[in-house]
Amino acid sequence: MRVLLTGGSGFIGSHIALLLLERGFDVVILDSYANSSPNVINRINTYLDKNDLRYKIEIINGDIRDKKIIDNIFLESIKQSKNIDIVIHLAGLKSVSESLNNPLHYWDVNVLGTLNLLLTMKEYECYSLVFSSSATIYGLSDSVPISEDHKISPINPYGETKVAIEKMFFDLYNSNTNLWKICSLRYFNPVGAHPSGVIGEDPVGTPNNLFPFLTQVAIGRQKLLNVFGDDWDTKDGSGIRDYIHIIDLAEGHLASIDYLNSKESCLEFINLGSGNGYSVFQIITQFESSIGCQIPFSIQSRREGDVAKCYADISKAKKLLGWTPKRTLDQICLDGWNWQIKNPNGYR
Ligand code: WQD
């Protein structure tokens, strides 16, 4: 099967690409490198070569806002009689704070980009799609764990773009319920790295997210960790999130492909998380105990766009996809650190 993986050189995309290639899928990656490095692909090739795996990967550097680029990918695939069977769409912007400062950029890339992709898929009669949605769409959670039928009420433009995209899927599917096969996967907090350490999380600039910031403090690239609030309504006052190992998340995508292949048509919204909630202080303590280090931190005021608690009810993923996360928080810390210590400056 041939998969078009948009955003395939990013943190999540690269881990999905590696698992797809190991599983024998033919992968075409489209990436603008806005928040990733072209070096990722060399790392993936080296890893697969070292493991004597035969694989087919093609990389196109381009922006999903340019519909001609997407058109050409599909056209070329038909010319080479290697049609694209399914699209995994990850290309998009994902910083809550950045979306608050530059909302139109988020609507442009995330929503217009997805519209371009859907229009092209329709033109070339490719109707299978796995999409990178986000738990951010739930906003302020009335109750945890959060299930898929929880109220959708994003509190930032990033979350609003994901809601808008899911609404596109809803209208598209209902326009012809015997055609489209769509899984919209609502990620909680993907963290860690491939156990080999050849790929991992390497945010451009100063990390927005907790985990890469933590590993950069541990390796000495950051002086200390700012804890955004110790006055939340949680057991220790710091924010609670659902940290899922990036390989568990990637395996959830392969399970989604198998699910779509088993259906005539479908539209499903599915949480992908560990199902456990951990506070910032618990993450710091676990990381220190897993790695054997001290993480200096300073308490700061709450960050705009944050919520107190957000962790997943993953029973639908278990039931529908037969998928469950397998890796522990300790494994997350060990794999994340293994990547960071082997790549002190990421891919650069
Ligand atoms: C986690 C916790 C912070 C950084 C992110 C992305 C969003 C989505 C989910 C994909 C919170 C605290 C953080 C720091 C801190 N991803 N924190 N100091 O906010 O849950 O959302 O992942 O859809 O795109 O924004 O993750 O890692 O930023 O924060 O104290 O330096 O850590 O307040 O409680 P978040 P995060």
Side-chain angles (χ1 to χ4, degrees):
M1 272 190 88
R2 192 158 209 237
V3 180
L4 169 58
L5 178 60
T6 73
S9 70
F11 168 44
I12 297 170
S14 55
H15 287 81
I16 294 172
L18 201 148
L19 265 59
L20 287 170
L21 292 162
E22 281 183 320
R23 269 267 296 262
F25 287 90
D26 178 353
V27 177
V28 182
I29 286 177
L30 170 62
D31 206 303
S32 65
Y33 302 135
N35 190 24
S36 62
S37 161
N39 296 343
V40 172
I41 307 308
N42 306 332
R43 296 291 187 92
I44 291 175
N45 291 340
T46 309
Y47 174 82
L48 294 169
D49 293 343
K50 262 196 194 142
N51 289 276
D52 298 327
L53 286 163
R54 293 174 54 77
Y55 59 93
K56 284 189 214 131
I57 187 168
E58 199 184 327
I59 321 296
I60 291 127
N61 174 209
D63 190 314
I64 48 168
R65 289 173 292 178
D66 182 349
K67 189 175 179 302
K68 285 189 302 300
I69 291 178
I70 309 175
D71 277 327
N72 287 336
I73 292 172
F74 278 88
L75 214 48
E76 274 310 303
S77 297
I78 289 171
K79 278 185 196 157
Q80 299 163 21
S81 8
K82 294 190 295 185
N83 291 21
I84 289 173
D85 301 295
I86 189 165
V87 176
I88 300 180
H89 177 34
L90 311 178
L93 304 172
K94 64 154 199 147
S95 162
V96 166
S97 51
E98 189 187 45
S99 77
L100 290 161
N101 298 325
N102 196 351
L104 289 185
H105 187 42
Y106 272 66
W107 282 89
D108 188 23
V109 175
N110 292 1
V111 179
L112 178 63
T114 304
L115 179 59
N116 281 344
L117 178 68
L118 292 174
L119 286 168
T120 310
M121 286 177 72
K122 191 166 180 289
E123 283 157 26
Y124 289 92
E125 299 182 327
C126 173
Y127 300 113
S128 295
L129 173 68
V130 178
F131 174 67
S132 158
S133 187
S134 169
T136 310
I137 67 173
Y138 295 118
L140 301 166
S141 41
D142 306 333
S143 59
V144 281
I146 296 173
S147 69
E148 289 82 355
D149 52 17
H150 183 284
K151 180 169 52 68
I152 305 281
S153 58
I155 57 170
N156 53 67
Y158 163 68
E160 293 289 359
T161 64
K162 294 293 186 179
V163 171
I165 292 165
E166 289 200 347
K167 283 182 176 163
M168 272 199 240
F169 298 154
F170 190 76
D171 290 347
L172 190 55
Y173 175 75
N174 286 312
S175 69
N176 179 340
T177 53
N178 298 318
L179 202 54
W180 288 86
K181 306 198 275 189
I182 300 171
C183 270
S184 183
L185 303 178
R186 294 170 176 172
Y187 303 166
F188 281 69
N189 291 57
V191 287
H194 189 275
S196 65
V198 290
I199 53 175
E201 187 166 14
D202 180 27
V204 172
T206 307
N208 283 307
N209 300 129
L210 176 69
F211 204 81
F213 203 105
L214 198 58
T215 57
Q216 287 192 14
V217 169
I219 197 111
R221 280 177 62 182
Q222 307 290 343
K223 278 200 174 46
L224 54 74
L225 173 72
N226 293 310
V227 175
F228 296 142
D230 65 349
D231 57 353
W232 293 98
D233 176 21
T234 63
K235 43 186 181 288
D236 64 17
S238 64
I240 292 178
R241 295 291 185 279
D242 180 326
Y243 299 94
I244 174 171
H245 195 294
I246 186 66
I247 301 295
D248 281 329
L249 187 88
E251 287 175 352
H253 288 72
L254 272 69
S256 298
I257 291 175
D258 294 341
Y259 177 75
L260 292 187
N261 287 338
S262 74
K263 306 294 287 183
E264 288 304 312
S265 66
C266 65
L267 171 60
E268 295 295 350
F269 303 97
I270 305 171
N271 287 342
L272 283 190
S274 70
N276 303 309
Y278 292 104
S279 72
V280 177
F281 290 133
Q282 283 176 307
I283 295 293
I284 294 172
T285 306
Q286 177 66 57
F287 191 82
E288 290 178 330
S289 120
S290 300
I291 309 305
C293 68
Q294 282 286 318
I295 296 290
F297 62 83
S298 147
I299 308 292
Q300 302 296 325
S301 50
R302 296 180 180 186
R303 179 177 64 176
E304 196 189 359
D306 268 359
V307 295
K309 299 175 199 163
C310 179
Y311 58 93
D313 172 344
I314 53 174
S315 44
K316 182 173 182 181
K318 293 180 182 175
K319 184 163 164 277
L320 220 54
L321 308 179
W323 169 89
T324 52
K326 303 188 193 84
R327 292 146 185 100
T328 64
L329 193 58
D330 180 43
Q331 199 60 51
I332 284 172
C333 294
L334 291 169
D335 290 342
W337 178 239
N338 180 47
W339 147 257
Q340 187 73 84
I341 203 153
K342 286 182 175 168
N343 305 274
N345 295 306
Y347 292 109
R348 288 147 192 85

